[in-house]
Amino acid sequence: MTDLKTIVEKRLEELGLSPIEAATRAGLERTFLRDIIVGRKKSVRADKMGELARALNLDPGALARNEMVPVPAPGSMETPRPTPNASFPPRWQPFPADVRIPLRGHIAAGANGRFIMNGQDIAHVFCPPGLEGVEGVYAVQVDGTSAEPRYYHGETAWVNPHLKVRQGDDVIVQIIEDDEVSSYLKRFVSRSADVLRLYQYNPGAGEQHELEFPADKVFSVHKVVFHAML
């Protein structure tokens, strides 16, 4: 709570008005506000409170409680605006230019979008936000159409090997098959002590949407966190 003198002084400063200007436009005596400021008038009668509030563009009920609650000036079309939660136009936010992530080389190997990582880093790509400083992150390039329309041939997918995988997440799965490690980009369905279940969006001729692998053949299940066409 603030005293009336302080409210009048502060509000006149905010409005850029002199005491006489504000009083005159509200139909008050020319010295009405000045008397409050210099201390001649310690209080205001109830029948004058509305006029004082109008002179200062304040809520009269709040002013009677010595509270300063601004209201739009008479005739003004201004209404309170909500605080924006986004910028317009959107601000461009660059990816960290000094952080790069290895792009793993691989060869296309056949059915169900199977591919084999060759163990080499064939390039380095930019680091999406949230992956800076995360050990072991990597990216792969999508090969084939089994992941369409979620992922298209030639897109790059970024992987965080440390995140917990949940049903519906897209994953890079490595499976031990015929003494080599095969990889698949699929949607995670479930994993038990016996079997890993995956889903592929666009199976080829003679292939199924659902894939199952023995749990003891699963080498890794890593979550895809970002993808883009480079």
Side-chain angles (χ1 to χ4, degrees), residues 28-109:
L28 292 166
E29 297 88 347
R30 289 169 55 86
T31 61
F32 192 93
L33 275 72
R34 188 177 62 187
D35 288 345
I36 294 174
I37 294 172
V38 300
R40 293 196 189 99
K41 195 183 296 291
K42 302 293 185 181
S43 61
V44 176
R45 298 198 314 265
D47 62 327
K48 292 290 186 179
M49 188 61 71
E51 296 176 7
L52 176 60
R54 186 166 62 251
L56 301 173
N57 293 342
L58 295 176
D59 179 84
L63 183 59
R65 300 188 299 270
N66 280 352
E67 298 175 1
M68 190 170 70
V69 179
V71 296
S76 171
M77 298 301 292
E78 181 180 353
T79 56
R81 298 181 179 181
T83 302
N85 59 7
S87 63
F88 186 83
R91 290 189 297 271
W92 178 74
Q93 296 180 338
F95 291 118
D98 57 341
V99 181
R100 311 293 287 178
I101 287 178
L103 179 68
R104 298 283 166 83
H106 65 269
I107 57 174

Side-chain angles (χ1 to χ4, degrees), residues 156-202:
T156 298
W158 283 257
V159 178
N160 186 334
H162 306 294
L163 292 180
K164 183 178 180 180
V165 174
R166 299 173 296 182
Q167 184 178 20
D169 287 341
D170 295 321
V171 292
I172 297 289
V173 174
Q174 292 186 288
I175 305 293
I176 302 174
E177 296 178 315
D178 301 325
D179 297 325
E180 63 183 1
V181 179
S182 301
S183 300
Y184 299 86
L185 170 57
K186 305 298 176 189
R187 188 175 75 191
F188 179 82
V189 177
S190 65
R191 185 178 187 177
S192 67
D194 300 317
V195 64
L196 170 70
R197 293 183 174 87
L198 304 174
Y199 178 90
Q200 58 179 339
Y201 295 92
N202 185 35

Side-chain angles (χ1 to χ4, degrees), residues 105-147:
H106 65 269
I107 57 174
N112 296 309
R114 175 175 178 259
F115 63 93
I116 300 173
M117 293 190 195
N118 61 16
Q120 298 178 354
D121 296 342
I122 59 173
H124 284 80
V125 293
F126 68 83
C127 176
L131 292 180
E132 305 96 321
V134 179
E135 184 178 358
V137 298
Y138 61 94
V140 298
Q141 198 165 58
V142 179
D143 206 337
T145 62
S146 68

